[in-house]
């Protein structure tokens, strides 16, 4: 035993917070650290000081990425819906224009003029078209929403206007 | 670490080297002898910081390496045990900081309280559980403002004592008094949590 081991716990304890603080190290107080090296009670106290400091020093938990997603997903979903609706309306509008253009591309005096190049919502859209086939028959198509479906001509409640003189012979009814 | 090469070109394990600091140990004692003699005590110190036997093994190896690297920094032969204690303490704290940073960096969250590990806990979970952190922050809030501010500047902001003194407009000795009293008060209030199951 040497003089470094003569320090008591009562003498050491007031200094332990400064050990945890880093203000005292083995070079400037070898007697204290010699006592610490052999004293489990004082070691435990320094450890608790150290661990408390570790908890204080810990940065506040950063917002988890999942939480960020959770916070903003309703907004993101709404934005997606708006975009989807916009694309749908745009596609719908272009499809109508294309169809009307294909009809109007064959002008005829007997066909009611249609402002086919105008994509304004007020433009009337054809409800029925008649498409001559190579075998001489005619297929009638009726608009059902966004699609055209074949229809039995006997089910029509009126004549389909003829596009006489047109190359395609397409007839339309509005 | 590179093994030491003898004048004859033979490589020897660092642990078999004679202590390079003259007269630090008994004439025939090697670093390996020192580590063997002090292993139990060093592991006990590490165990005050970590709850996991595997982690204690890891830190013990780290301590062994640090002893070899820093032997030249040992100033007094009689202080070798205190020097070794300090290395063990620093290595344990460094390990906990690394572990915690890795968890936070990976997940962006506090460690999972039920993360796997010995006794069902992650090695750092016992130290940095939500319960402990909450208790520490509550205890900190109950300190007198002067002590709380000194501790916050020292631990959270990492200022040294002189910088704190300048910031608070007091002398350095007053800073140390505030830090000492504040830390002692925190430990007193948290002793059941931090020493009850260490």
């Amino acid at each position: 035993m040497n003089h470094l081991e003569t320090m008591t716990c009562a003498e050491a304890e007031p200094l332990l917070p400064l050990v945890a603080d880093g203000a005292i190290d083995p070079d400037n107080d070898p007697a204290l650290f010699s006592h610490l090296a052999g004293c489990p009670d004082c070691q435990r106290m320094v450890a608790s000081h150290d661990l408390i400091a570790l908890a204080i020093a810990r940065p506040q938990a950063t917002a988890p990425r999942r939480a960020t997603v959770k916070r903003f997903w309703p907004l993101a979903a709404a934005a997606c819906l708006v975009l989807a609706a916009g694309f749908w309306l745009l596609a719908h509008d272009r499809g109508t224009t294309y169809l009307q253009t294909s009809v109007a591309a064959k002008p005829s005096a007997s066909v009611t003029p249609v402002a086919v190049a105008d994509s304004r919502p007020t433009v009337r859209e054809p409800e029925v078209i008649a498409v001559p086939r190579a075998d001489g028959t005619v297929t009638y198509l009726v608009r059902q929403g966004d699609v055209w479906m074949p229809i039995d001509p006997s089910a029509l409640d009126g004549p389909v206007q003829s596009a006489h003189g047109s190359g395609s012979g397409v007839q339309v009814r509005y | 670490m590179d093994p030491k090469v003898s004048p004859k070109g033979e490589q020897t394990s660092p642990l078999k080297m004679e202590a390079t600091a003259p007269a630090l140990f008994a004439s025939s004692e090697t670093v390996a002898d020192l580590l063997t003699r002090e292993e139990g005590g060093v592991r006990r110190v590490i165990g005050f910081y970590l709850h996991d036997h595997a982690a204690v093994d890891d830190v013990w190896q780290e301590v062994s390496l640090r002893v070899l690297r820093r032997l030249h920094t040992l100033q007094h032969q009689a202080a070798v045990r205190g020097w070794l204690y300090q290395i063990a303490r620093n290595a344990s704290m460094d390990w906990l900081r690394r572990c915690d940073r890795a968890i936070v960096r990976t997940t962006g969250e506090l460690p999972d309280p039920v993360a796997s590990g010995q006794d069902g806990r992650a090695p750092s979970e016992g130290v940095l559980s939500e319960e402990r952190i909450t208790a520490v922050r509550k205890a900190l809030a109950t300190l007198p403002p002067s002590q709380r501010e000194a501790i916050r500047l020292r631990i959270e902001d990492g200022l040294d004592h002189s910088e704190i003194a300048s910031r608070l407009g007091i002398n350095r000795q007053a800073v140390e008094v505030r830090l000492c009293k504040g830390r002692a008060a925190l430990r007193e209030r948290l002793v059941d949590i931090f020493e009850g199951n260490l």
Side-chain angles (χ1 to χ4, degrees), chain A residues 19 21 33 48 50 58 62, chain B residues 49 89 100 111 154 161 195:
Chain A
V19 171
D21 191 69
F33 275 81
S48 62
D50 285 339
R58 184 185 204 173
T62 55
Chain B
Y49 292 84
R89 176 175 162 244
D100 192 46
R154 176 71 179 128
H161 293 185
E195 296 182 29

Side-chain angles (χ1 to χ4, degrees), chain A residues 12-112:
Chain A
E13 185 173 342
L15 302 174
L16 300 185
L18 291 176
V19 171
D21 191 69
I24 301 176
D25 60 33
D27 290 334
N28 58 33
D29 198 339
L32 173 60
F33 275 81
S34 181
H35 171 81
L36 268 172
C39 179
D41 289 339
C42 288
Q43 289 173 358
R44 189 189 299 271
M45 292 176 69
V46 172
S48 62
H49 281 302
D50 285 339
L51 298 179
I52 289 169
L54 196 64
I56 293 173
R58 184 185 204 173
Q60 298 285 347
T62 55
R65 291 179 184 177
R66 286 203 298 270
T68 302
V69 172
K70 284 178 183 175
R71 188 183 311 148
F72 292 110
W73 82 260
L75 184 61
C80 288
L81 282 175
V82 169
L83 284 173
F87 279 120
W88 183 86
L89 286 172
L90 184 61
H92 177 75
D93 197 35
R94 285 185 176 177
T96 301
T97 303
Y98 172 78
L99 179 61
Q100 291 170 345
T101 301
S102 69
V103 171
K106 311 299 180 184
S108 170
S110 61
V111 175
T112 303

Side-chain angles (χ1 to χ4, degrees), chain A residues 123-144:
Chain A
V123 173
R124 295 197 319 167
E125 299 174 351
E127 297 173 351
V128 178
I129 59 175
V131 181
R133 300 172 64 91
D135 59 2
T137 61
V138 176
T139 297
Y140 292 90
L141 302 177
V142 64
R143 176 189 291 278
Q144 293 186 354

